[in-house]
Amino acid sequence: MARLYILLFVVQVVLAVCALISCLSAEEDDIRHLPRIAWVLIILFFPLVGSIAWFLAGRERKAGGNWATGTRPAERRPARPVAPDDDPEFLRSIEERSRKEDQELFRRWEEDLRKREDDLRKREGDPPREEPRPEV
């Protein structure tokens, strides 16, 4: 019989802790009927009844949200800034900038290579190359 009482006590404590965490992390718009401090005091002074009351009447039920993680439905979620690595426009701009920088670097390398080849030919007495080089 003592094991049953210990088990019920542990369940009550876990339920009260979950209710407190839920109450304290709930947004102000999601709390119904009483102010947050009143719900906290009810949960602390009457752990079993207060916890059950909080889950049934104190918080707004989330239609379409995930109850396990507490996420809100997409239409009610406040707009928040998107991380740069999640923003497709930002990623596109980085890709474009990188491509332009690569093309410019490649163009300068080709130009430098042509100058060096022409300088080598002048030193050796050969005429500079006249055929057009393909542009990439």
Side-chain angles (χ1 to χ4, degrees):
M1 196 66 176
R3 289 182 191 171
L4 180 63
Y5 289 137
I6 291 173
L7 179 65
L8 290 176
F9 176 74
V10 169
V11 168
Q12 176 182 335
V13 169
V14 168
L15 184 64
V17 168
C18 289
L20 274 174
I21 290 172
S22 174
C23 181
L24 293 174
S25 65
E27 293 185 22
E28 202 63 41
D29 298 341
D30 293 342
I31 300 174
R32 298 187 311 178
H33 302 298
L34 295 172
R36 182 187 317 260
I37 189 69
W39 280 114
V40 169
L41 292 175
I42 289 171
I43 293 169
L44 286 176
F45 288 125
F46 310 103
L48 185 62
V49 175
S51 300
I52 294 171
W54 164 253
F55 285 120
L56 293 179
R59 65 181 184 150
E60 184 176 317
R61 295 190 183 201
K62 296 172 175 64
N66 184 348
W67 66 272
T69 59
T71 57
R72 300 174 134 204
E75 65 272 4
R76 288 200 51 221
R77 188 174 300 136
R80 62 184 186 133
V82 176
D85 58 345
D86 290 340
D87 186 9
E89 203 169 304
F90 177 75
L91 294 175
R92 214 174 299 116
S93 71
I94 287 179
E95 184 180 327
E96 175 124 354
R97 188 178 337 140
S98 175
R99 190 177 323 116
K100 286 180 181 178
E101 289 173 357
D102 289 346
Q103 287 174 348
E104 177 64 24
L105 183 62
F106 187 68
R107 187 192 60 76
R108 283 188 291 168
W109 283 348
E110 282 186 330
E111 195 175 290
D112 185 49
L113 183 62
R114 281 189 197 119
K115 285 181 185 177
R116 289 177 185 216
E117 285 178 348
D118 290 342
D119 287 346
L120 257 168
R121 284 196 169 86
K122 284 180 187 176
R123 278 192 226 144
E124 293 175 358
D126 294 340
R129 206 190 268 196
E130 295 296 327
E131 74 261 6
R133 300 207 176 166
E135 290 293 323
V136 177

